[in-house]
Amino acid sequence: MEQVDVDEIINHINQKFNENVPSLVKMVVRKKIGKLQSFNIELMPNSLRTCTVEDLISVVKYGLESGKLKL
């Protein structure tokens, strides 16, 4: 992935995070983000490594709404 693309994604996430997330939630997210950083890509199932961002967001939403995803 090109650095310009990486920077664009990071800037978008930062903008959305700063605009729409209350400060208390930001604090909790920052503490939990360490788990995301510890993901070993090689140990992830192929379905997760190859899904699109749209698919991942849909799966996470479904998991949260159905109670199957425990965060």
Side-chain angles (χ1 to χ4, degrees):
M1 182 177 276
E2 300 279 332
Q3 186 61 44
V4 68
D5 295 329
V6 171
D7 291 341
E8 181 180 45
I9 292 168
I10 290 172
N11 289 336
H12 179 76
I13 293 170
N14 282 334
Q15 179 185 5
K16 294 300 177 187
F17 188 70
N18 286 329
E19 288 177 358
N20 299 322
V21 179
S23 59
L24 181 59
V25 174
K26 286 180 186 180
M27 183 179 69
V28 172
V29 168
R30 285 187 185 111
K31 289 184 178 193
K32 295 287 185 178
I33 203 71
K35 292 183 184 221
L36 180 63
Q37 290 174 318
S38 69
F39 276 1
N40 182 345
I41 294 171
E42 299 302 319
L43 298 177
M44 289 182 186
N46 191 50
S47 57
L48 180 57
R49 293 187 314 175
T50 60
C51 73
T52 66
V53 172
E54 291 87 356
D55 290 340
L56 179 59
I57 291 170
S58 293
V59 169
V60 169
K61 283 182 177 181
Y62 167 75
L64 291 171
E65 291 168 357
S66 67
K68 292 181 178 183
L69 184 60
K70 310 290 188 225
L71 296 177

